[in-house]
């Protein structure tokens, strides 16, 4: 696993991936030398904590949802730039970076969904389902990276950056439109509808990816007769 993780190829076909890559290299070359990738990784977690706390406070003060967008912007800066800084400075630590980055990503998503669950803008059971679906997809991606050598960062042209933008826009919209009217159902929480849609999308991505990788491995390693 360690060898696969250290030699994997990152695949990001997100809508903004090319522009983002150029912007990150530009930023990395101008970042002060005293700031290194570990600082940026920690900053990413701080950003997630800010977003999570903002969701939690939004139960009492809806304007706190502005902090969600700010926290996710901080998370993007740290999480997207840490690896770029290491590569630009030729200070890569592939196994360390892969492990620490993704452990903190899992901690971060748990914090974020926890904040959403107590915000009053999403039913806690749906939030739990969302977290479970995300962790299932993450586990499949990590396994696929280990056996296939490719780390997929995006599905249907939506990667981490696009997700942050969508979540930020959604959080800001909640200040004015926390609920919506559905035919034959009535008024429901907007994030409940979005959460169920995301769960369905994640489980679909999991199924497609698992079947595709399973078939590829079956063909590559046929059963001996």
């Amino acid at each position: 696993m360690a060898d696969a993780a250290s030699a994997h190829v990152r695949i990001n076909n997100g809508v903004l991936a090319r522009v983002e890559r150029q912007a990150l290299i530009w930023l990395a070359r101008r970042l002060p030398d005293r700031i290194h990738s570990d600082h940026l990784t920690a900053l990413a977690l701080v950003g997630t904590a800010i977003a999570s706390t903002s969701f939690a406070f939004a139960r009492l003060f809806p304007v706190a949802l502005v902090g969600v967008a700010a926290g996710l912007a901080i998370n993007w800066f740290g999480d997207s730039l840490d690896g770029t800084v290491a590569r630009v400075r030729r200070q890569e630590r592939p196994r360390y970076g892969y492990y620490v980055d993704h452990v903190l990503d899992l901690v971060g998503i748990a914090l974020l969904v926890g904040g959403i669950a107590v915000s009053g803008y999403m039913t806690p059971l749906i939030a739990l389902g969302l977290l479970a679906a995300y962790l299932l997809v993450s586990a499949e991606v990590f396994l696929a990276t280990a056996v296939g050598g490719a780390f997929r960062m995006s599905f249907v042209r939506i990667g981490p950056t696009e997700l942050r933008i969508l979540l930020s826009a959604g959080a800001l919209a909640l200040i004015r439109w926390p609920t919506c009217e559905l035919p034959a159902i009535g008024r429901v929480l907007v994030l409940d509808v979005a959460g169920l849609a995301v769960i369905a999308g994640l489980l679909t991505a999991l199924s497609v990816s698992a079947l595709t990788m399973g078939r590829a491995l079956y063909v590559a390693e046929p059963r001996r007769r």
Side-chain angles (χ1 to χ4, degrees), residues 87-168:
R87 286 187 289 275
V88 166
R89 296 177 181 176
R90 300 185 183 229
Q91 298 173 340
E92 298 98 327
R93 292 178 290 174
R95 290 180 296 173
Y96 170 83
Y98 179 87
Y99 180 79
V100 172
D101 194 42
H102 295 301
V103 165
L104 292 183
D105 280 347
L106 294 175
V107 173
I109 192 63
L111 285 173
L112 185 60
V113 175
I116 294 173
V118 301
S119 70
Y121 288 90
M122 179 183 282
T123 302
L125 186 60
I126 294 178
L128 179 61
L130 179 61
L131 179 60
Y134 183 92
L135 294 178
L136 283 172
V137 170
S138 296
E140 193 280 328
V141 169
F142 298 151
L143 289 170
T145 302
V147 300
F151 180 66
R152 298 186 317 279
M153 300 177 63
S154 60
F155 294 94
V156 294
R157 311 259 349 244
I158 297 177
T161 297
E162 290 79 10
L163 283 175
R164 291 186 187 97
I165 292 172
L166 290 172
L167 183 54
S168 296

Side-chain angles (χ1 to χ4, degrees), residues 185-197:
I185 296 177
R187 189 154 293 277
V188 296
L189 293 170
V190 169
L191 278 192
D192 278 355
V193 177
L196 290 173

